[in-house]
Amino acid sequence: MRKVIPFNENWSFQKQDTGLPHSIPADWETVTLPHTWNAVDGQDGKGSYYRGACWYAKEFPTPSGLSDNRIFVEVLAAALSGKVYINGREAAYHEGGFSSFTADITDYLHPEGSGEPNLIAICADNSDRPHIYPRMADFTFYGGLYRGVNLIMVPRVHFDLEYWGAPGLSVTSQPDGESACLKLQSWVKNADADYTVCYTVTDAQGRNVAECWRPAENPGTSIFLPQAHLWQGVEDPYLYTCTAALVYRNEAVDEISCRFGIRSFCVDPEKGFFLNGKPMMLRGVSRHQDLLYEGNALTREEHYQDAALIHELGANTVRLAHYQHSRDFYDACDEYGFVVWAEIPYISSQSDDPKAHENCRTQMQELVYQNYNHPSICFWGISNEITIAGEKPGLVENHKDLNALVKEIDPTRLTTMAHVSMVPLDSRLHGITDLESYNHYFGWYGGKYTENEKWLDNFHEKHPEICLGLSEYGAEGIITYQPDEPKCRDYSESYQAEYHEHMAEILMARPYLWSTHVWNMFDFGCAARNEGGTAGRNNKGLVTLDRKIKKDAFYLYKAYWSSDPFVHLCGRRYAQRAGAADSGVSGENSGAKTSEAGAHTSVKVYSNQPEVSLYVNGELFRTLKGEKVFLFEQVPLFDGFTCLTACTGGCCDNMTLEKVDSKPKIYTLSPEEDEDGDMEGAANWFDEAAAVDANMPMEFPDGFFSVQDTVKAVLEQEDAAAVLAGALFAMTGMKLKKSMMGMMGEKTVEGLMEMMTGMGMGDNVPENALQVVNAELNKVRKK
């Protein structure tokens, strides 16, 4: 019978490429898996983090009973590639840092009873390699054995462990009214006529509801369930279990199982998503898989803690960006009922290496085969913002090939992709996948948040046949910053909340959007970032990277999405306030206590209840009726401390404010703290630039910059970067971050300007804008 041997303890680790060890050096560090070597430097904001090959090694005895069994090593993930050696011999090599792989190591082991320990050595490598995705993206590429390793002992005839890392058993459900048909398939290695497969299906209470026997040489079959309990998402995430036993005569010699749900779904371009025939407005979050100073080396318990926070928020969908996530988290999504978008890291820029597309195909097949049985997964994502660095040759063809590949493997699910904001309405990428979404940041990187609904409605009007979603939207929220008048790009918690107040309202009012996903549920590591005074991280999360603090925006979405009654006082981090001079306005129920205050402030409350009462130092100040957002004006601030309590029904929340003479400086981001800085420009840059005849051909002199240079090359020289910054600010109104522009490093300046013009930017610049920018760049000599 199959035996899984715990194999995560007492590994030796070396953070450098020492070459294959033939014994374990005494100076290597002892670690427990899961483990990443970038837990600190991938988040600490010092700018760079170690990317390269590192080694793990461990000694172990040859398991007993080897003569009748096979031993496999299962690596749950090795980022971004992994080589496995047993006793000095290479046993496996895998490219792709997010999927599992297995290898039969039986013939590499020392003979049973020899007494000689075996040495397993694994080289994990997260260096940049042109044929392995991801290559460029806005998150840390952690390296390591960050999901652990298993040893698995199976008999000679066993359920297959090596087919794309899949579990060896698949269940496809086809509901029909109250009944359902289950298609069962298993894969048996070395089967002959003496072996049979017994399938049993049990319900959530463990009761046997179906059983079927098949010859192991042809194990596929179907089972009919007359009374099927549907998997209805967060409303009722009902799970069955299918167990496949491999039987030899009167003995079960191998056994595997999987949980599954019975559901059907579809998407309509006007009405959105339907689950089992019921409309379901998919509104939720995206998620990265890292924690503060743990990197991506999460335990099963930590994955489930993340899922619990998403459940508390009230979300019903999760986009798992931008790679295959842990099977533990997919399990959690099945249990909580989240509808999942799963994707591969074909992201930001298509590699010029022709072998890279084969890596895409491999990662896509592993994603689908390894996670086929999860009912939560309804969508396979084939790329994300792939045109950031320009539309490369073969890009459209590669997308068509990936889409066809997914449809061939799994015709039961829908395909999708996430476009970068600048993809034009007439792009050749439209129509390849079943569904499409855009990543838009109007109101953060540029423009106003009121532009979101205008863009969405315009796209929907021009492409009513396309099922449109919003795959990313968000704003940075650093809880230290607490302005009295929030504004775009001030990095404050209050602007983030204001932005999401608008977004939540307009997205709930547009049922044609098949899904929307906040970017992001959690702050996450991004070693290349250095902005907002908090380096090494992207701070758009609704919850902090350590999962300790839920930002105000978290409760805004809870008010929209959750039915659990609650009330939340916003602005608690703005704990010291000078307030404004008291105008004499007081609460409708105010008494002597509130009238004695010398200053006042505004207090915002989020709740999913229709009425909220605010108490000041225990005395009722005012009761407001409303929906989701309640704003209390002229709330008195007393000398010393003022205790505020918000109540609705049986729910209460409180916070204490201290009245101070002047607002503490820590509440405002200073330019000195924002080291990455804005690339400054002027709205009238084109008026002040050189006059250029639109009919004159552009010149590209040797030794000088031009629009044919890459964004990366321009940014590396300060005077050339100033030209680009001026032009882009005049076109977009955006003060662009150098780290953000670095994401487009491979795109030429000409390609970048064409992309922004195609997006509708640049209405207030001359028709010869490209010639003007080229002429200005021609003045800058390359150093």
Side-chain angles (χ1 to χ4, degrees), residues 608-629:
N608 54 8
Q609 301 301 294
E611 182 178 283
V612 173
S613 297
L614 182 68
Y615 294 81
V616 178
N617 290 337
E619 183 176 294
L620 178 63
F621 171 71
R622 184 172 295 147
T623 297
L624 294 180
K625 297 182 184 296
E627 188 173 352
K628 318 304 182 192
V629 182

Side-chain angles (χ1 to χ4, degrees), residues 121-137:
I122 301 178
C123 178
D125 188 346
N126 69 335
S127 59
D128 180 25
R129 303 177 67 185
H131 68 288
I132 301 177
Y133 288 104
R135 295 205 58 216
M136 178 181 76

Side-chain angles (χ1 to χ4, degrees), residues 370-423:
Q370 292 178 18
N371 299 288
Y372 181 88
N373 294 322
H374 290 286
S376 57
I377 299 175
C378 293
F379 318 109
W380 299 121
I382 65 175
S383 71
N384 176 75
E385 295 188 339
I386 196 62
T387 56
I388 278 184
E391 185 173 320
K392 303 287 188 70
L395 183 139
V396 171
E397 292 71 23
N398 287 347
H399 277 74
K400 290 180 178 178
D401 178 65
L402 285 173
N403 190 71
L405 175 65
V406 174
K407 288 300 185 180
E408 178 185 351
I409 300 171
D410 181 11
T412 71
R413 290 181 171 94
L414 300 174
T415 56
T416 188
M417 64 187 300
H419 299 298
V420 68
S421 189
M422 293 81 103
V423 168

